[in-house]
Amino acid sequence: MAERETWITGIGIVSCLGEGPEAHWRALSEPASADTTSFAPYVMHRIVPLDFDKQIPKKGDQRQMEAWQRIGTYAAGLALDSAGVKGKPELLSHMDMIVAAGGGERDTQVDVGVLTGLPKAAKAEAFVNERLMNDLRPTLFLAQLSNLLAGNISIVHGVTGSSRTFMGEESAGVDAMRIAHARIAAGQSDLALVGSAYNAERWEVILQFSLGRTLAKGEPRSVWDRAGGGMEIGTIGAFLVLEEKAHALARGAKPFARIAVIASDHVRRTAGAVTAALERMWATIAPRLAPESAAIISGVTGVEPGTSEEKEFLRHHSGLAVRATGTHLGHGLEPQFPANIVLAAQALRTGTLFPPGDTSGMERPMDGVLSQVVVTSVGHWRGEGLALIEAVG
Amino acid sequence: MAAYTDQSGRPVVVVTGYGVVTSLGAGREDNWAKLTAGQSGIHAITRFSTEGLKTRIAGTVDFIAVEPRVNAPELSQRLAETAAEEAIAQSGIGTVGDFPGPLFIAVAPVEIEWQQRQELAVASGAIDAVSYADLARVAETGQFNRYYERFLFGSVADRVAEKFGTKGSPVSLSTACASGATAIQLGVEAIRRGEADAALCIGTDGSVNAESLVRFSLLSALSTSNDPPQAAAKPFSKNRDGFVMAEGAGAVVLESLESAKARGAKILGVIEGCGEMADSFHRTRSSPDGKPIVGCIRNALADAGLTPDAIDYINPHGTGTPENDKMECLGVLGVFGERAKSIPMSSNKSMIGHSLSAAGAVETVFSLLTLDHQRLPPTINYLVPDPSLPFDVVPNTARDARVTHVLSNSFGFGGQNVSLVIGGEPR
């Protein structure tokens, strides 16, 4: 069967750079900054304050969510608005949804209370049981479950065609995009909401990544120039509406861009393996690439060895201008790849790439019209992916 | 000879291997013998102290050799591997460590647990007040590095993919208590798209610990009928008072019919249809009109190209919570009308408990066994029928029956509804 064409007809993004693609564009043109005090010594890209009432009208709904869910539901609302499908049950009821999510948001006050009391407890396990039974808010469970961002989007925005949640850090974001696209291309879906949200501003998140010593500390630096310093994590919500071309045309929707290819891979991080995986995926897009009007938006994390391996890959394709979003947005794990496709779609709609954002020499200005963007993912641990996004018309 | 494509021109997706582990035991035969004997795997929890907890029973899997204070991802991985080994061996597909297709795996929530937090707190030397900054400071020494990969969301899938040599990026997923069915649905879709000739689909859950028990308790979801444990799970009974948490894993090897035939594999069943419909009513409760469940089942039937008349057995979600059983019966009634009351519908969870992320896959395996043996496992503990749910729940005793098409339902928090239609042989 001939592959059907998939358009991006809606985009929504929130992060430390602001709300919406235009705000991101403006901020990407400015020097990067980050918070170095709230979670010192760790560098944090904290999200701008959002007026949640604008996308989550019921206070009761907001109270039933934790931060990552509010951020994701908000970004999903922006994408639905942007696609012109918000509040249209005839479309939302057959809209498919794939969300990439972590979850596990905790009440750290309860945790430290238990840990502080434990050494004095006569019976350690019984003490933990008692404190958890008394101190945990019942609804916190619904912020821990990975699929409850999707659940909240169904409730708040009425997306009910289908609902799947992928877990697994960066690879979840890549595979969510890949499978949502593949389903449309193969005729299994006409209209899909896909994306992710991550709240980095949590000590339990910092604890997880500090176990692997993968976090950057001290002063913020370009993601290309961290000398193995690791990730500057950031809070990000990013969603896209994907739509089969004829479906979009029939309702008069305008595309931001078209998805040509999305590929993912899974390799052990042995020397050269990541570079080789990127090259294999590159081979799938090379036949349709027009290098003179193409650029690369990279999801590079700053964690080694992935960062050096991606640099090696980029050296093989040095004819294309490169932009990494990790310097400005920070790294948001699951939403990084969807966020970078949002920014690619915005760049393609305007026909120009945003300015270079680093001083290490990896990024250089691009003149002329932009017609294709390659988006990369090399997760901090796993999660290799590549997308080719194209201008329409 | 059956056609290689279905009524919609898509590749027919068949099952050529399945494996299962539950609190009843490891393996198809052991599980089936106990299931059809009406045996319960629910028991008092011994893995951790239940002092101060309202619920002190579960269907934990205690017979798999693991460290005494095993964490959820570790046990989930072991359970998944146990079930997948059995499934792959039965199918005879590929070679050892080289499975010719992708992995879709439903896994329990993953996060650092109390044992790790406690170890870090002790190591931090913080005396009067422990902070997360103290824990992170200790973590940065690298001495607890072993916990890092273990508690990444993708680690179970990564290790299972490595062990069995599945192809491409392994997909970890969660649709709460529908997860196992979603894993199978994703595999079916990949084969129908022609992306793969085979897929390994697993649901696994080894997450019974004090905190997970507390969290479900605080939502009043669990049975507190602790004594005797075997009688606690009472789906469809008037005195049902919640589900019983359990562990387990189910694995199926899916293949296109064409690919299975080409290598001479035995066809064990057909995944004829998958249906889904999200519920936007509430985070933990179903829409009172039952429409999302009705729509979900109808979508599965339509996907299978069948009318409701074709279903002759229902493997329900059947958790034994007052809400689930009421809403599921309403949904079944909405689809099947008066005939609903005479379609046998028995809950495996009455015996094995609710294995959460694994349940949809475990119950698919039991549905396949039901088709194979032409015998219906019972709903045990059915002593006080609920007059508002006048269904044939195959009360307390297994019986033989002619079964050609099974409907298997899975529902989860967050408005997740998935139904599978499973047939015995290609049409």
Side-chain angles (χ1 to χ4, degrees):
Chain A
M1 185 171 45
E3 185 171 299
R4 308 194 311 163
E5 191 166 316
T6 303
W7 282 4
I8 297 169
T9 54
I11 53 177
I13 185 168
V14 290
S15 78
C16 65
L17 301 184
E19 170 182 334
E22 291 84 9
H24 278 74
W25 194 278
R26 283 193 298 276
L28 284 164
S29 310
E30 303 288 326
S33 66
D35 178 316
T36 56
T37 55
S38 303
F39 296 88
Y42 302 101
V43 184
M44 183 67 72
H45 292 259
R46 303 190 68 177
I47 193 165
V48 295
L50 299 174
D51 178 5
F52 288 111
D53 293 350
K54 288 199 287 186
Q55 290 294 344
I56 311 171
K58 290 185 191 162
K59 290 286 186 199
D61 282 334
Q62 292 181 31
R63 277 195 297 274
Q64 295 274 322
M65 301 184 211
E66 293 298 321
W68 70 284
Q69 295 165 319
R70 286 190 289 268
I71 291 161
T73 304
Y74 192 97
L78 293 179
L80 297 172
D81 273 335
S82 148
V85 300
K86 176 78 88 53
K88 295 184 177 163
E90 68 283 10
L91 292 167
L92 298 170
S93 64
H94 78 257
M95 184 176 219
D96 296 303
M97 172 162 50
I98 307 183
V99 172
E105 197 145 319
R106 297 191 65 81
D107 186 333
T108 52
Q109 288 306 111
V110 172
D111 288 350
V112 300
V114 171
L115 289 172
T116 299
L118 256 174
K120 298 163 206 101
K123 289 192 274 185
E125 286 184 299
F127 173 76
V128 174
N129 293 350
E130 187 201 336
R131 292 298 302 267
L132 293 179
M133 282 295 282
N134 289 321
D135 297 351
L136 279 182
R137 279 175 291 125
T139 54
L140 189 66
F141 191 25
L142 302 176
Q144 187 201 30
L145 295 175
S146 302
N147 72 306
L148 258 292
L149 169 52
N152 278 299
I153 291 172
S154 291
I155 289 169
V156 173
H157 299 308
V159 178
T160 56
S162 66
S163 168
R164 296 133 187 218
T165 295
F166 291 178
M167 301 188 289
E169 289 76 31
E170 292 92 338
S171 68
V174 174
D175 285 321
M177 293 296 310
R178 175 176 65 85
I179 290 178
H181 169 239
R183 294 189 76 227
I184 290 176
Q188 293 175 339
S189 169
D190 292 322
L191 180 66
L193 178 69
V194 55
S196 177
Y198 189 75
N199 173 20
E201 296 157 49
R202 300 184 281 152
W203 272 106
E204 68 268 31
V205 157
I206 290 173
L207 175 60
Q208 169 63 34
F209 292 109
S210 63
L211 285 166
R213 294 192 276 185
T214 51
L215 295 180
K217 297 194 271 290
E219 289 303 311
R221 300 174 71 156
S222 161
V223 70
W224 298 114
D225 193 23
R226 296 215 183 123
M231 302 183 274
E232 293 176 4
I233 49 177
T235 299
I236 299 174
F239 275 84
L240 302 97
V241 173
L242 308 189
E243 192 164 0
E244 195 267 324
K245 178 183 173 179
H247 190 279
L249 286 172
R251 65 178 191 91
K254 295 227 165 33
F256 284 84
R258 157 201 314 128
I259 296 180
V261 179
I262 299 182
S264 66
D265 207 342
H266 178 253
V267 295
R268 291 205 156 212
R269 296 291 172 89
T270 52
V274 168
T275 309
L278 288 168
E279 291 295 353
R280 279 196 299 277
M281 291 188 284
W282 182 270
T284 67
I285 65 166
R288 48 189 301 173
L289 198 68
E292 65 283 355
S293 60
I296 297 173
I297 295 181
S298 165
V300 67
T301 64
V303 176
E304 294 298 347
T307 298
S308 292
E309 296 243 344
E310 183 167 349
K311 279 185 183 173
E312 178 63 22
F313 160 78
L314 293 171
R315 268 192 282 276
H316 303 164
H317 308 285
S318 58
L320 282 71
V322 176
R323 301 288 182 269
T325 52
T327 307
H328 283 77
L329 268 79
H331 187 67
L333 287 295
E334 291 90 355
Q336 201 73 20
F337 191 72
N340 286 344
I341 294 180
V342 166
L343 296 173
Q346 173 70 5
L348 288 161
R349 174 113 119 185
T350 58
T352 52
L353 188 62
F354 46 88
D358 90 318
T359 51
S360 73
M362 282 298 292
E363 303 187 11
R364 57 167 197 275
M366 180 186 180
D367 301 320
V369 172
L370 183 73
S371 67
Q372 292 180 317
V373 175
V374 179
V375 178
T376 70
S377 169
V378 175
H380 76 286
W381 171 68
R382 294 284 187 272
E384 297 80 24
L386 203 70
L388 177 62
I389 315 297
E390 300 179 335
V392 178
Chain B
M1 195 188 81
Y4 288 148
T5 52
D6 67 9
Q7 70 287 344
S8 306
R10 309 168 299 191
V12 172
V13 179
V14 299
V15 179
T16 57
Y18 51 85
V20 67
V21 49
T22 71
S23 53
L24 288 173
R28 293 183 295 271
E29 288 182 16
D30 197 22
N31 268 283
W32 185 248
K34 289 173 177 166
L35 204 67
T36 47
Q39 210 171 311
S40 168
I42 309 306
H43 49 258
I45 293 167
T46 56
R47 191 186 296 154
F48 53 89
S49 167
T50 55
E51 191 177 334
L53 302 182
K54 283 186 193 156
T55 294
R56 302 187 298 277
I57 53 170
T60 54
V61 174
D62 299 325
F63 50 82
I64 298 254
V66 287
E67 289 189 17
R69 294 195 57 182
V70 68
N71 57 61
E74 194 71 40
L75 182 56
S76 298
Q77 181 186 326
R78 289 296 304 278
L79 296 171
E81 288 170 351
T82 304
E85 263 166 17
E86 184 181 28
I88 293 172
Q90 185 183 29
S91 82
I93 195 170
T95 54
V96 173
D98 187 10
F99 183 91
L103 171 67
F104 297 96
I105 181 166
V107 293
V110 177
E111 62 178 335
I112 293 167
E113 297 173 8
W114 281 103
Q115 184 191 343
Q116 291 76 41
R117 270 181 224 114
Q118 213 175 327
E119 280 180 44
L120 287 155
V122 169
S124 78
I127 312 250
D128 288 333
V130 187
S131 72
Y132 259 90
D134 292 325
L135 305 184
R137 180 169 43 75
V138 172
E140 288 283 350
T141 64
Q143 62 171 309
F144 294 98
N145 186 260
R146 64 185 180 281
Y147 293 138
Y148 173 56
E149 287 187 12
R150 183 68 289 175
F151 291 100
L152 289 171
F153 286 97
S155 87
V156 173
D158 175 74
R159 292 181 191 184
V160 171
E162 290 286 344
K163 182 178 172 75
F164 297 106
T166 56
K167 302 297 174 276
S169 178
V171 171
S172 313
L173 63 105
S174 175
T175 54
C177 298
S179 300
T182 301
I184 291 166
Q185 181 184 27
L186 284 162
V188 168
E189 287 180 351
I191 292 171
R192 284 177 177 173
R193 286 196 297 269
E195 265 174 36
D197 293 326
L200 178 59
C201 303
I202 305 175
T204 186
D205 203 309
S207 72
V208 176
N209 57 42
E211 184 169 323
S212 59
L213 211 59
V214 167
R215 285 177 182 265
F216 276 117
S217 257
L218 291 175
L219 293 177
S220 307
L222 299 181
S223 169
T224 54
S225 308
N226 292 302
D227 195 23
Q230 299 77 10
K234 306 174 279 292
F236 306 116
S237 292
K238 193 167 193 304
N239 58 339
R240 66 188 185 275
D241 69 337
F243 72 82
V244 178
M245 281 184 81
E247 296 172 333
V252 296
V253 173
L254 301 182
E255 287 187 75
S256 70
L257 176 61
E258 184 169 8
S259 158
K261 287 272 188 194
R263 67 180 188 88
K266 185 173 182 211
I267 311 296
L268 306 172
V270 185
I271 309 296
E272 300 179 305
C274 311
E276 231 183 318
M277 186 176 284
D279 190 329
S280 62
F281 177 69
H282 187 269
R283 287 157 192 84
T284 58
R285 285 165 48 213
S286 297
S287 180
D289 61 11
K291 279 184 182 166
I293 292 176
V294 169
C296 172
I297 296 172
R298 285 193 175 138
N299 285 344
L301 290 168
D303 193 51
L306 294 173
T307 59
D309 304 344
I311 299 298
D312 37 30
Y313 171 66
I314 299 173
N315 187 313
H317 192 51
T319 58
T321 65
E323 166 86 1
N324 175 83
D325 295 3
K326 184 178 85 179
M327 294 313 301
E328 183 164 15
C329 287
L330 182 66
V332 166
L333 210 54
V335 174
F336 296 95
E338 277 305 299
R339 196 176 82 87
K341 294 172 185 172
S342 60
I343 306 173
M345 174 166 77
S346 58
S347 171
N348 303 151
K349 292 184 179 81
S350 64
M351 291 170 279
I352 61 168
H354 187 356
S355 53
L356 306 167
S357 301
V362 166
E363 288 158 24
T364 294
V365 170
F366 289 152
S367 297
L368 289 158
L369 283 161
T370 300
L371 285 159
D372 184 33
H373 291 269
Q374 295 288 295
R375 188 166 175 76
L376 310 177
T379 301
I380 67 163
N381 300 320
Y382 190 73
L383 302 175
V384 190
D386 183 340
S388 69
L389 310 177
F391 293 85
D392 172 9
V393 302
V394 193
N396 303 314
T397 312
R399 65 170 194 253
D400 291 336
R402 185 172 173 278
V403 185
T404 51
H405 303 283
V406 177
L407 173 73
S408 176
N409 290 334
S410 297
F411 310 132
F413 283 173
Q416 307 277 179
N417 298 307
V418 183
S419 294
L420 303 176
V421 177
I422 305 164
E425 48 195 73
R427 281 176 262 164

